[in-house]
Amino acid sequence: MSPRLVEVAPGIHTVSGTLPPFDPRHPSVDLRLPGGVTKPPLLILVHGGGGARDQANAMALFHAQGVAVLGFDAYRLAGLEREAQFWIRHVTYEARQRMIYAAALGAYRLATMLDSVDTGRIFIHGLSNGADVVANLAAVASPAHVRMVFAEGLAGAGLGLPDRLSVPVRAVFGRLDNYAGGSATDWRWSRRVPCRLNMAGFDGPPGNAARCNAMLNAFNLAESPEQWVARQRAAGADIDTWFYDDAAHGIFAGPLRFLTVEWPGRTAPATIGATEVTRQKLLQDMLAVIRA
């Protein structure tokens, strides 16, 4: 059955049906190769709740630096066309992330077969909902292809976070990231959300959502992103957290803005963006890894 939106609470939807295979010829799939560079490294840019627009600036920035970039819009790939605010405010974490994960996994598999890039130097960056997605990709990606995964603004809700990692991960946060929190100082990295926001299982790696979901421990709190990073580090994973001053949610997204957003049933802070100095700092930090 084709994917379709199903209302599960007033104004809140999930997605039902079978997600289609990743189609590299779909008009939302965007592969850009830098001119004059033979076998460049490739950065896969995985969007968040708002769709492909979330990574538009990052696509342009890294491509201008001689890096091949690959982006997509998971919602359009699923055959569902809605404006960004609908996806952000009216669709569950797990539904967004299932679509994004299916598309990102397809993009990764495509990348490993491209003749135009260095398939031994693939990097993956995910923002917001896309951060949780790429954290899960880091559990299934091959180190023969993927050098590092950058998970920016982890939510810790939806698909949950994996128990074991196969490739290095850097969790990235702006010090002012309170996006979708309960207060101005409800920081994204320390936030523990109700287990009921997690999906019991999906076609991905084993993770903490198996122990914390709508059917099991629903009224308990999920592991925070910082707790997950600490657990991975204790298990010997190559993982670290990069914090950036004068930055919030979506460092590449635009100028630093202190906003509030009307979510269904509540108003929440939503500080986004970063100063140009900070944006360049993250760009250079990532390029140092990509060019190493």
Side-chain angles (χ1 to χ4, degrees):
M1 186 177 292
S2 298
R4 67 191 188 282
L5 290 161
V6 177
E7 192 170 42
V8 292
I12 303 296
H13 300 76
T14 188
V15 170
S16 182
T18 302
L19 296 171
F22 183 80
D23 180 3
R25 297 166 297 179
H26 192 276
S28 77
V29 176
D30 186 0
L31 173 63
R32 305 180 198 175
L33 302 173
V37 182
T38 302
K39 295 282 187 179
L42 174 68
L43 177 63
I44 302 173
L45 289 153
V46 179
H47 66 74
R53 68 168 197 169
D54 293 349
Q55 291 285 29
N57 290 344
M59 290 277 291
L61 284 170
F62 284 95
H63 183 247
Q65 293 292 326
V67 179
V69 291
L70 173 60
F72 54 83
D73 191 299
Y75 308 143
R76 294 178 61 198
L77 280 163
L80 299 171
E81 298 275 355
R82 298 291 191 281
E83 51 92 23
Q85 292 306 313
F86 174 83
W87 295 112
I88 294 170
R89 301 183 189 183
H90 300 290
V91 178
T92 62
Y93 281 107
E94 55 81 19
R96 292 188 301 236
Q97 290 176 21
R98 278 189 288 120
M99 287 185 284
I100 299 168
Y101 181 84
L105 182 61
Y108 157 69
R109 289 172 172 165
L110 169 69
T112 64
M113 298 183 290
L114 291 174
D115 293 330
S116 53
V117 304
D118 184 344
T119 57
R121 289 195 297 155
I122 296 172
F123 302 83
I124 308 174
H125 174 276
L127 172 63
S128 193
N129 279 266
D132 294 65
V133 164
V134 302
N136 280 283
L137 278 184
V140 300
S142 168
H145 296 294
V146 175
R147 295 281 186 91
M148 186 170 287
V149 167
F150 304 93
E152 184 185 343
L154 285 161
L159 300 183
L161 297 169
D163 287 332
R164 297 178 63 88
L165 296 171
S166 299
V167 299
V169 172
R170 297 297 178 264
V172 179
F173 291 99
R175 287 282 186 188
L176 301 173
D177 190 351
N178 58 14
Y179 191 84
S183 71
T185 56
D186 183 4
W187 307 122
R188 190 95 168 174
W189 58 89
S190 60
R191 187 179 305 160
R192 299 182 66 193
V193 302
C195 287
R196 60 181 173 77
L197 297 180
N198 284 342
M199 184 177 181
F202 80 110
D203 188 17
N208 57 18
R211 304 177 292 276
C212 172
N213 56 64
M215 304 300 294
L216 186 65
N217 299 314
F219 296 100
N220 289 351
L221 296 178
E223 191 175 33
S224 71
E226 67 180 354
Q227 288 174 327
W228 175 74
V229 169
R231 178 163 66 90
Q232 294 299 323
R233 185 181 293 114
D238 184 348
I239 190 169
D240 200 1
T241 304
W242 291 356
F243 284 107
Y244 290 85
D245 294 332
D246 301 317
H249 197 65
I251 294 174
F252 292 123
L256 184 60
R257 288 171 285 169
F258 296 85
L259 307 174
T260 57
V261 172
E262 292 291 335
W263 304 94
R266 69 187 181 104
T267 300
T271 307
I272 60 173
T275 64
E276 184 59 29
V277 170
T278 300
R279 191 159 28 258
Q280 289 298 319
K281 177 68 167 63
L282 175 56
L283 176 65
Q284 294 306 317
D285 288 348
M286 288 179 61
L287 285 172
V289 174
I290 291 170
R291 291 169 173 168

